[in-house]
Amino acid sequence: MKPILSIVIPCYNSESTLEGTLESVLHQDFQDWEAIIVNDGSPDNVETIALTWLEKDERFKYYKKQNGGLGSARNYGISKAKGEFILPLDSDNQVKEDYALKAISVFTEKRNVGVVYGHAEYYGERTGIWKVDDFNLNKILNHNYIDACAIFRKGLWEKIGGYDQHMPHQGHEDWDFWISMTALNVEFYHLKQVAFRYYVSNTSMIKSFTDKMVLENQDYIVKKHSAMFHKQFQDLFNSNGEQQNKFLNKISSRKFVIDAFCKKLLGFKLFNSELDKL
């Protein structure tokens, strides 16, 4: 039978962390899953580890491909996925026990939700909780604050055309992916709980990014989604202009000025309506 959830795990130089990642998949509360391990041309011992896990549980699947980067590996794994829902799980992260179970419940109850995400717990060279905010279009256009370890409907991945494999530098595919989701008016649901454990290491890919590389990726994303960025800027500009005009109109009211003065210095107002509307 087809699984409900497909967990896609790209691997490159992952032999030191992969065991913990696969253990977390096996011991989660939700059990109607398949886990697709994608060896993205890794030069280490990933294949041996993966094949061992295939013997432990038939829900683990293994594929090997030529190295193409994170976006390419995720797309390859999702193309093999049979589940209705996708969870991209980096090979050094660990899914929390109840994350998938609660996410699937949200999808079942709220048919308009396309993405479910939550907080993360740091481990490795950093500890603590990475708390993320509710979804906000302005914020996601400004920078990515939602990790790739979110669960989404596979059909949305198909509509978007997958993760962008042509960015100047690998590492911001998930940011571009979420922006593409917003173009489809997808609803994001924030679980407001820790969803996964996030591994922190000085050797992680994102640590190798220079300011120049970040700017090149930002430039690529802004150009790709220029219509959305322009519309959002225009909406903000118009909104701010309307608020400014309302304030200027109030300032021009003698009653408002007198009330503001009395409220500030004397603690009472002469008129009850004008200042309250500010």
Side-chain angles (χ1 to χ4, degrees):
M1 293 181 63
K2 292 175 60 175
I4 292 176
L5 176 68
S6 295
I7 304 171
V8 177
I9 309 169
C11 298
Y12 187 82
N13 284 339
S14 309
E15 63 180 5
S16 64
T17 58
L18 183 58
E19 290 274 2
T21 299
L22 301 182
E23 283 280 359
S24 74
V25 170
L26 186 64
H27 294 118
Q28 64 178 314
D29 296 336
F30 186 78
Q31 288 293 303
D32 194 355
W33 52 264
E34 64 174 351
I36 300 172
I37 305 167
V38 181
N39 181 344
D40 190 34
S42 185
D44 61 359
N45 201 35
V46 158
E47 182 167 85
T48 300
I49 296 171
L51 293 176
T52 299
W53 278 84
L54 264 62
E55 295 177 359
K56 291 182 180 181
D57 195 306
E58 63 181 5
R59 291 174 294 180
F60 288 101
K61 311 291 172 57
Y62 174 72
Y63 297 94
K64 186 175 183 178
K65 62 182 284 295
Q66 185 176 358
N67 180 258
L70 189 56
S72 170
R74 284 183 185 150
N75 284 337
Y76 183 87
I78 296 173
S79 72
K80 303 293 184 182
K82 298 177 181 178
E84 180 183 355
F85 303 99
I86 304 295
L87 171 58
L89 181 63
D90 289 348
S91 57
D92 52 4
N93 291 341
Q94 300 172 3
V95 63
K96 298 294 282 188
E97 292 85 352
D98 60 347
Y99 177 29
L101 183 63
K102 291 190 175 181
I104 298 301
S105 296
V106 171
F107 285 121
T108 302
E109 296 171 5
K110 303 177 184 296
R111 297 290 181 177
N112 54 327
V113 170
V115 182
V116 176
Y117 68 100
H119 304 310
E121 177 185 358
Y122 294 116
Y123 82 102
E125 296 180 12
R126 179 177 177 179
T127 58
I129 303 298
W130 170 17
K131 290 188 175 182
V132 295
D133 295 334
D134 290 344
F135 182 79
N136 180 282
L137 180 56
N138 290 332
K139 188 168 185 176
I140 202 70
L141 289 177
N142 184 52
H143 71 281
N144 188 31
Y145 64 96
I146 300 176
D147 189 79
C149 191
I151 301 177
F152 56 86
R153 299 182 188 273
K154 184 181 178 182
L156 296 173
W157 172 85
E158 294 169 341
K159 286 183 179 179
I160 289 170
Y163 290 93
D164 192 329
Q165 299 176 200
H166 305 292
M167 300 186 72
H169 310 283
Q170 297 284 300
H172 290 106
E173 294 83 4
D174 48 342
W175 183 22
D176 173 79
F177 191 66
W178 302 140
I179 294 175
S180 296
M181 287 276 198
T182 66
L184 298 177
N185 295 317
V186 171
E187 182 174 336
F188 288 69
Y189 186 93
H190 185 202
L191 276 179
K192 295 181 173 64
Q193 69 171 61
V194 173
F196 66 103
R197 300 182 73 213
Y198 182 89
Y199 184 62
V200 179
S201 170
N202 287 328
T203 61
S204 62
M205 178 178 64
I206 203 68
K207 293 284 186 179
S208 66
F209 266 52
T210 63
D211 291 343
K212 182 174 181 292
M213 293 167 68
V214 172
L215 287 173
E216 287 174 348
N217 275 357
Q218 288 177 343
D219 185 58
Y220 177 89
I221 288 173
V222 170
K223 288 178 179 177
K224 177 179 176 180
H225 302 282
S226 59
M228 181 178 295
F229 277 91
H230 181 267
K231 182 181 183 305
Q232 199 63 16
F233 173 79
Q234 191 174 44
D235 290 346
L236 285 172
F237 181 82
N238 291 337
S239 175
N240 289 337
E242 290 175 4
Q243 292 176 11
Q244 186 178 34
N245 287 335
K246 289 179 181 179
F247 181 77
L248 290 174
N249 289 336
K250 288 179 178 180
I251 286 294
S252 66
S253 166
R254 292 180 62 186
K255 287 183 178 180
F256 174 82
V257 175
I258 292 170
D259 259 352
F261 177 82
C262 290
K263 179 67 176 177
K264 182 70 175 178
L265 298 183
L266 305 177
F268 64 88
K269 297 180 291 183
L270 296 179
F271 309 103
N272 292 323
S273 59
E274 296 294 330
L275 188 57
D276 291 336
K277 295 177 183 177
L278 178 60

